[in-house]
Amino acid sequence: MENIQAQQAFQRLLTIMDELREQCPWDKKQTIDTLRPLTIEELFELTDAIMNKDWKGIKEELGDLLLHIAFYARIGKEEKQFSIEEVLNGICDKLVYRHPHIYADTKVNNEDDVKKNWEQLKMREGKKSVLEGVPVSLSSLIKASRIQEKAAKIGFDWPAIEPVWEKVEEEIQELKEAIQSGSQAAMEDEMGDVLFSLVNYARFINVDPDTSLENTNRKFIRRFRFMEKIALERSLHLASITLEQMDALWNEAKIVLG
């Protein structure tokens, strides 16, 4: 019964999309190029809702993304490139093919086996590199994480966690040497190596570096805004007080907000 209701709701969305594309002046004008920035914005709104554990917001943003999928599919049909049925069957076929431990007789022992099989099957599909599926436009932090994950799936990885941290320390030392040299290019290069090695270490301790950094960003914002609030209540201007006074306000914020 739930599947039937879901099918009916999805068909309703497709029908509304057709009506908007044919009757609404704004919807008529849209192209894949004009939709792209809007889709990116919707995706970030979804990630914000996820970070905030805002289930009502997640539901709403998923609806917005579904609208965009229907929109792209409608344009694809108009351009005689693909239909929504081809989109849906394409992902279904891919999922079945890449899960032979469910839909065939392949045996797996754990999650790592599933990931290795996934990458091997992707290579059989004609991909020339295991890194081919990493989008160029991903943020650098997430891209570093995905690159390392994909390389690890085919065995290009550290055998244990200890040398991973040793690599972090090695890169930090090289950054210090670059700073001493005064070469801006060397500092940028070594800073990149430090960040890349830290992302790798995060993977070994099962911490998502992007989520971790975003949590820290949000924590800093909460504390800083609390500082501003305290300063305003005490008729203080942050830009004109001493660093020691700001540190005291910061410590108050840490005590109150955690």
Side-chain angles (χ1 to χ4, degrees):
M1 185 64 179
E2 288 185 5
N3 283 341
I4 293 175
Q5 290 176 336
Q7 292 169 18
Q8 291 173 340
F10 189 63
Q11 184 56 56
R12 183 186 177 207
L13 172 64
L14 296 179
T15 300
I16 292 172
M17 183 69 257
D18 288 341
E19 293 170 348
L20 294 178
R21 185 68 173 170
E22 294 164 7
Q23 301 176 37
C24 175
W26 185 87
D27 290 283
K28 284 181 180 180
K29 292 177 59 178
Q30 301 315 304
T31 67
I32 58 173
D33 296 309
T34 61
L35 285 176
R36 178 180 175 273
L38 302 178
T39 305
I40 293 172
E41 182 179 342
E42 295 295 352
L43 181 59
F44 277 108
E45 289 178 358
L46 173 61
T47 62
D48 283 346
I50 292 171
M51 289 291 296
N52 293 329
K53 300 295 187 292
D54 176 8
W55 287 101
K56 182 176 181 293
I58 292 171
K59 179 182 71 173
E60 181 179 344
E61 299 307 334
L62 285 174
D64 290 342
L65 279 180
L66 275 173
L67 169 62
H68 279 245
I69 291 169
F71 215 145
Y72 286 114
R74 166 69 195 217
I75 295 173
K77 182 179 179 180
E78 293 170 0
E79 298 292 330
K80 296 181 172 54
Q81 296 296 326
F82 56 82
S83 66
I84 187 65
E85 292 81 11
E86 289 175 302
V87 172
L88 295 171
N89 284 321
I91 186 58
C92 289
D93 292 343
K94 182 189 292 185
L95 289 172
V96 170
Y97 175 71
R98 292 188 184 174
H99 289 79
H101 54 290
I102 302 296
Y103 300 103
D105 55 3
T106 298
K107 304 297 182 184
V108 296
N109 297 315
N110 50 44
E111 178 187 356
D112 289 337
D113 287 349
V114 174
K115 291 179 179 179
K116 288 178 182 178
N117 283 340
W118 183 279
E119 293 301 330
Q120 290 170 1
L121 290 168
K122 286 173 69 175
M123 293 298 289
R124 291 180 197 170
E125 293 169 8
K127 297 190 183 300
K128 297 178 182 178
S129 169
V130 295
L131 304 181
E132 195 171 307
V134 180
V136 174
S137 57
L138 268 182
S139 71
S140 298
L141 190 64
I142 298 176
K143 187 188 295 185
S145 183
R146 295 296 293 133
I147 288 170
Q148 293 168 7
E149 288 172 2
K150 287 182 173 290
K153 286 175 185 175
I154 62 162
F156 189 70
D157 204 4
W158 295 93
I161 192 171
E162 290 78 12
V164 182
W165 182 251
E166 291 172 3
K167 185 64 175 176
V168 172
E169 293 179 324
E170 176 188 326
E171 297 297 353
I172 291 174
Q173 180 57 39
E174 291 179 3
L175 173 60
K176 291 178 180 179
E177 293 170 3
I179 293 171
Q180 291 175 349
S181 76
S183 168
Q184 188 66 33
M187 285 188 280
E188 290 179 1
D189 186 57
E190 296 302 337
M191 178 60 78
D193 289 346
V194 169
L195 294 172
F196 194 82
S197 62
L198 281 170
V199 169
N200 202 28
Y201 189 76
R203 180 171 60 87
F204 268 78
I205 60 174
N206 295 316
V207 169
D208 179 78
D210 186 69
T211 300
S212 181
L213 181 58
E214 179 57 20
N215 284 333
T216 296
N217 288 340
R218 292 177 178 227
K219 179 169 60 178
F220 183 91
I221 290 170
R222 286 196 305 272
R223 291 175 178 175
F224 194 85
R225 286 179 173 171
F226 191 80
M227 273 179 57
E228 292 176 316
K229 178 175 177 290
I230 295 174
L232 183 62
E233 290 173 353
R234 298 174 186 175
S235 300
L236 300 173
H237 299 283
L238 289 181
S240 60
I241 64 177
T242 66
L243 180 58
E244 289 74 15
Q245 288 174 301
M246 281 193 280
D247 279 339
L249 292 175
W250 179 261
N251 288 330
E252 282 190 54
K254 287 173 64 176
I255 292 171
V256 174
L257 300 177

